[in-house]
Amino acid sequence: MKWFSALLLGICFLTGIEAIDAAPVKVFVLCGQSNMEGKGAIKHLEQLLADPNTAEAYKHLRDENGWVERDDVWIKYNDDRGQGKLAPGFATPTNRFGPELGFGNVVGDAFDEKVLIIKCAWGGRALAVEFRPPSSGVGDYTRRNRETKEMEPLPKEDYGVAYRDTIRIVKETLANIDQVVPDYDKSQGYELSGFVFFQGFNDIIDQKKTDEYGANLANLVRDVRKDLDAPNLPFVIGELGQQGVEPEKRYAEKHFAFRKSQEDVSKLPEFVGTVRYVKTSPYVISDGESFDGGYHYYGRADSFYNFGKAFGEAMVDMTKKQ
């Protein structure tokens, strides 16, 4: 009987392992403009690892062989910016990293299933124009004609180009997921598990775009869910936390109003529990060394890693509550 019990226990254990291996791949989409592209300096990350006061928080990212490549988290970045096991370098330029690094480590640790991150990010894109969701219709912005120097309406095809590329890249990646996730088994399938949107700089610098940001952001959530056929897809809105918790006085009102428009979307009755506004401003260090001038959160590795970590923790919390 003892032998039989041990055999039965062994069968159950192996079955459990097979069940985990056969579980759907959890897929997360990270979307935005230059800060989502990633401007965290790997040079700064190396400094943090060399400093005994900060090394503990980042020691899991590197071993005696170099940067650790996770065996359970993969990433696909745009059409042509690279794919593979998660590690520093999936950014623009490649000597940087973005929120995907902290995010991927958090979700990778939180779930037994394999994880795929699809990152869709392009610098200098506004929600009012390039990321404009279909439900917002065509905008009425203008540009200067290079030849005549006269102002003219933006071409209709400019509106939503980054939004359409995002949806396309996600669908194409999922249709060919076996080319990104090694040993992918069609019988296990995949599960679209979350979407992170970290964007806003090209809207906050234009009052007209700022004024319509909240409405466009709400439409973005609705349209992404519709176009990806995921009606309750957990959605993280990353705060535009440039200048940190206390922005310069001359810009403070604008920044706080913009952040409120982002947070208000997460409080809409239809989004309660499935959309989370995550602050980034507490992780901005404005009085330390800068690795990108005054731009992109000073290019600091600690800031970008903590942005991703915060996004990941919020996503895990929402996902596990569903």
Side-chain angles (χ1 to χ4, degrees):
M1 290 296 293
K2 290 182 179 179
W3 174 84
F4 178 76
S5 297
L7 178 62
L8 184 62
L9 181 62
I11 292 172
C12 290
F13 177 72
L14 290 174
T15 303
I17 293 176
E18 290 174 359
I20 291 174
D21 288 342
V25 175
K26 300 190 79 66
V27 180
F28 298 93
V29 181
L30 272 56
C31 179
Q33 55 181 126
S34 57
N35 290 312
M36 184 58 90
E37 281 186 314
K39 304 301 178 184
I42 293 178
K43 174 184 176 182
H44 185 217
L45 186 57
E46 291 172 339
Q47 292 179 12
L48 293 170
L49 280 161
D51 186 342
N53 295 316
T54 54
E56 183 68 22
Y58 308 98
K59 66 179 184 180
H60 59 289
L61 299 176
R62 190 170 63 184
D63 60 21
E64 63 276 7
N65 298 316
W67 297 114
V68 171
E69 295 182 340
R70 289 197 65 126
D71 291 325
D72 56 348
V73 182
W74 290 267
I75 182 169
K76 163 75 172 176
Y77 177 21
N78 284 1
D79 287 309
D80 56 356
R81 296 296 176 90
Q83 65 183 56
K85 295 179 179 180
L86 181 68
F90 288 97
T92 303
T94 54
N95 64 347
R96 306 267 171 166
F97 69 89
E100 74 284 342
L101 190 59
F103 182 91
N105 274 277
V106 168
V107 298
D109 290 344
F111 299 112
D112 292 326
E113 299 91 335
K114 296 177 181 178
V115 171
L116 170 61
I117 294 171
I118 304 174
K119 188 163 94 163
C120 305
W122 303 271
R125 306 297 193 268
L127 178 59
V129 181
E130 292 88 358
F131 277 112
R132 194 177 188 89
S135 294
S136 291
V138 176
D140 59 349
Y141 291 90
T142 59
R143 69 178 182 184
R144 189 174 298 280
N145 186 298
R146 292 183 179 180
E147 295 181 359
T148 67
K149 308 302 180 183
E150 298 292 328
M151 298 303 294
E152 61 184 16
L154 280 176
K156 290 184 178 180
E157 59 268 23
D158 284 10
Y159 293 101
V161 62
Y163 176 89
R164 294 189 296 275
D165 278 340
T166 297
I167 299 300
R168 175 186 58 77
I169 290 170
V170 171
K171 289 184 175 181
E172 289 179 356
T173 301
L174 294 179
N176 299 283
I177 191 171
D178 58 319
Q179 297 180 18
V180 184
V181 179
D183 302 321
Y184 175 76
D185 185 346
K186 289 184 178 180
S187 66
Q188 73 182 117
Y190 60 80
E191 177 185 75
L192 194 55
S193 301
F195 194 104
V196 179
F197 192 62
F198 186 35
Q199 184 275 345
F201 188 79
N202 273 64
D203 293 270
I204 198 173
I205 59 177
D206 183 320
Q207 189 58 52
K208 182 178 178 180
K209 294 174 182 176
T210 296
D211 290 342
E212 64 170 309
Y213 194 87
N216 287 333
L217 184 56
N219 282 336
L220 180 79
V221 178
R222 298 182 188 111
D223 288 351
V224 163
R225 288 174 167 178
K226 177 182 177 183
D227 289 337
L228 294 181
D229 194 24
N232 295 307
L233 183 67
F235 207 103
V236 165
I237 298 168
E239 174 191 47
L240 182 65
Q242 196 74 35
Q243 295 201 350
V245 175
E246 297 183 7
E248 293 180 50
K249 288 186 178 180
R250 57 177 174 165
Y251 299 126
E253 184 177 354
K254 176 184 285 287
H255 279 276
F256 290 138
F258 192 88
R259 294 173 188 179
K260 184 177 184 302
S261 71
Q262 292 182 302
E263 185 174 15
D264 284 350
V265 171
S266 70
K267 295 179 179 180
L268 292 174
E270 65 185 291
F271 296 152
V272 172
T274 63
V275 176
R276 188 80 60 87
Y277 170 73
V278 177
K279 291 186 176 183
T280 61
S281 53
Y283 308 111
V284 177
I285 301 173
S286 57
D287 57 353
E289 185 176 359
S290 175
F291 297 84
D292 200 352
Y295 300 97
H296 305 116
Y297 303 97
Y298 309 103
R300 291 184 62 91
D302 44 10
S303 294
F304 275 90
Y305 189 81
N306 284 318
F307 296 164
K309 185 178 176 182
F311 297 159
E313 289 170 348
M315 187 63 74
V316 168
D317 186 55
M318 277 194 294
T319 302
K320 290 192 172 183
K321 285 181 178 178
Q322 282 195 340

